[in-house]
Amino acid sequence: LGTGTNTCYIEDNRNITKVPSVAMQEGFTIINIESGGFDKVPRGEIDIRFDSSTDNPGAQKFEKMISGAYLGRLVLEIMKIAAAEGLFSKEFAGRIREIRNLTTRDINEFTLSGHFDCGNEADEKDRVILYYIIDSVLERAARLAAANLAGVMLKTGKGKNPCLPVCVAAEGTTFHKSRLFKYKLDYYIKRFLNDEMGIYCDFVKAENIVLTGAAIAGLLN
């Protein structure tokens, strides 16, 4: 979960019936589920408006709600609408209209310091409103990421024993470096997966797993 998002899991070969030659073999296969393209998550009016402004409208809908390439731009879309509806001061609203790009790194820095390159027009009330906008976007992203993990764990049937949790090898700047996101994800893992669904997982930090996996796949094929 960094610039984009994706999920892989280990499947019993017997269940991979679309490839009979694999289904007849003993063992397991890692399945890439292209989770960023999931399109059944309910979206709001602003999501749809933002999607239409991207280079690939209608594609990667789930990715556009949780990943680093999009979160900053989504926040900016919300800021512009909030400014037009009078939530910010007149001075800060004018500054917002001039902003052409906002990155996920920018919004993370704002949650750390209360500042980014927004000039001197933002007063304390503006900053508080902006913080809550960013907080809400990351809150939803954490809920969706938890749902993503829950779906995979339910498919595998693993993690029902807290002494044998699913190991989640996690990589990406959104996952590891967002000040608010990881705290929120941990909360929803505890609240929904552990307490309500009775499934458990542990996260391990893996370095360059996407690059390593691509290299291994190239060597094997």
Side-chain angles (χ1 to χ4, degrees):
L1 181 58
T3 302
T5 188
N6 198 7
T7 315
C8 298
Y9 77 103
I10 299 171
E11 180 61 88
D12 190 317
N13 284 345
R14 293 173 297 179
N15 296 328
I16 309 176
T17 54
K18 65 167 62 177
V19 186
S21 60
V22 173
M24 292 186 294
Q25 297 179 30
E26 294 285 334
F28 303 86
T29 297
I30 296 175
I31 302 294
N32 170 5
I33 66 176
E34 295 293 351
S35 56
F38 185 67
D39 63 359
K40 293 180 174 58
V41 176
R43 298 187 300 161
E45 179 182 338
I46 298 177
D47 291 303
I48 295 169
R49 174 170 162 172
F50 170 66
D51 182 19
S52 67
S53 73
T54 63
D55 294 334
N56 55 345
Q60 300 299 105
K61 294 178 181 177
F62 188 71
E63 187 168 86
K64 289 171 182 173
M65 300 169 82
I66 73 169
S67 73
Y70 298 101
L71 287 176
R73 293 157 61 192
L74 178 59
V75 166
L76 180 57
E77 187 74 28
I78 298 170
M79 288 169 63
K80 289 183 180 294
I81 293 173
E85 295 186 358
L87 268 71
F88 294 112
S89 67
K90 183 178 179 180
E91 293 74 18
F92 189 45
R95 176 69 180 96
I96 289 172
R97 286 191 289 270
E98 297 173 359
I99 299 175
R100 294 290 174 262
N101 186 43
L102 195 66
T103 67
T104 300
R105 186 175 192 175
D106 292 331
I107 66 173
N108 187 52
E109 288 179 359
F110 179 84
T111 64
L112 289 167
S113 65
H115 299 275
F116 57 63
D117 184 18
C118 55
N120 297 318
E121 293 86 352
D123 61 22
E124 194 65 24
K125 182 180 178 181
D126 290 328
R127 296 182 191 280
V128 170
I129 293 171
L130 180 53
Y131 183 95
Y132 283 129
I133 288 174
I134 294 171
D135 184 77
S136 295
V137 169
L138 292 175
E139 182 92 12
R140 185 182 69 168
R143 290 169 68 98
L144 292 175
N148 183 169
L149 293 172
V152 174
M153 292 168 65
L154 290 173
K155 173 65 177 67
T156 64
K158 306 295 183 180
K160 296 178 182 179
N161 181 347
C163 297
L164 295 171
V166 169
C167 175
V168 181
E171 183 185 38
T173 52
T174 303
F175 182 90
H176 287 292
K177 295 186 178 181
S178 172
R179 171 178 173 260
L180 297 178
F181 176 83
K182 187 59 170 59
Y183 296 138
K184 293 176 181 296
L185 178 62
D186 288 343
Y187 170 79
Y188 287 114
I189 293 290
K190 175 69 169 63
R191 177 179 171 185
F192 292 127
L193 275 68
N194 300 169
D195 296 345
E196 294 190 16
M197 303 176 70
I199 51 179
Y200 300 85
C201 64
D202 277 345
F203 292 97
V204 297
K205 186 173 183 179
E207 301 291 346
N208 300 316
I209 52 176
V210 174
L211 182 63
T212 303
I216 292 171
L219 290 170
L220 292 177
N221 294 315

